[in-house]
Amino acid sequence: MGVYKRLSDVPDRYRLHHHANAYEGRDVWDEFLTEHLFPRFDSDRFKEDARRAGRYWKEHMAERGRHHALATPADVETWMTDLLDRLKLKTAYNSYWVRVERFYHWLQWHTEHPHTHHPVLMAAADGGAAGKVWDEKMARRRGGSKR
């Protein structure tokens, strides 16, 4: 999850919004795809699904007035709430959650990004729609979908 478990634990100086200028005009999702995902997964279907997830994530974040690499747990929660209103839990998990969770994991482990916390996991820890998707993930790890 990172050094911090809840956004309220993150000192203000480490919050992602302070880095908005450094990310302005930068498509970090595309960097993630090009540098991390696509070299590992070469299928056209996988690439299209990853691009679609990124497109929806970036649109959501633009509506929230933030760069797609600088989310808060609340941004993740509203996105998951919207997805679960339109999609089955399994689809929200498989097609969207997995990719955005992996994106923030990638950001955390690259020194050129200031990510000391993982807003996707923080949202899951808070429960709500993100928590439901997290429960789906954990059920799969135990050997079967909960729903």
Side-chain angles (χ1 to χ4, degrees):
M1 182 179 285
V3 175
Y4 306 103
K5 307 304 179 213
R6 303 213 179 276
L7 189 59
S8 60
D9 297 336
V10 179
D12 183 65
R13 70 182 178 273
Y14 295 130
R15 296 201 183 188
L16 297 175
H17 67 88
H18 291 296
H19 303 281
N21 289 340
Y23 284 88
E24 192 169 326
R26 186 173 172 191
D27 190 344
V28 183
W29 185 267
D30 188 59
E31 293 171 26
F32 164 67
L33 296 180
T34 303
E35 295 173 21
H36 181 70
L37 276 190
F38 289 174
R40 294 182 168 149
F41 303 96
D42 196 28
S43 94
D44 290 339
R45 172 69 188 252
F46 178 88
K47 289 179 178 182
E48 178 55 35
D49 289 348
R51 286 185 184 106
R52 183 176 53 254
R55 193 169 48 249
Y56 288 159
W57 176 244
K58 290 188 284 186
E59 287 171 4
H60 173 73
M61 290 301 293
E63 289 171 8
R64 309 262 308 163
R66 258 186 288 293
H67 188 277
H68 58 274
L70 305 175
T72 66
D75 296 325
V76 175
E77 178 62 21
T78 57
W79 190 56
M80 281 293 109
T81 298
D82 180 56
L83 287 175
L84 291 179
D85 284 347
R86 298 183 293 115
L87 304 170
K88 292 181 180 181
L89 179 60
K90 289 171 72 171
T91 303
Y93 171 74
N94 286 328
S95 298
Y96 299 96
W97 174 274
V98 168
R99 288 164 176 86
V100 174
E101 180 185 3
R102 191 174 288 159
F103 173 60
Y104 274 91
H105 181 77
W106 177 78
L107 289 168
Q108 273 191 298
W109 291 103
H110 282 79
T111 56
E112 66 270 18
H113 297 288
H115 293 69
T116 59
H117 57 283
H118 196 305
V120 178
L121 299 182
M122 287 177 163
D126 286 341
K132 287 179 187 175
V133 178
W134 182 260
D135 289 345
E136 173 70 14
K137 176 180 180 169
M138 292 299 100
R140 287 167 181 250
R141 285 193 173 175
R142 288 188 298 269
S145 178
K146 270 180 79 170
R147 291 159 178 74

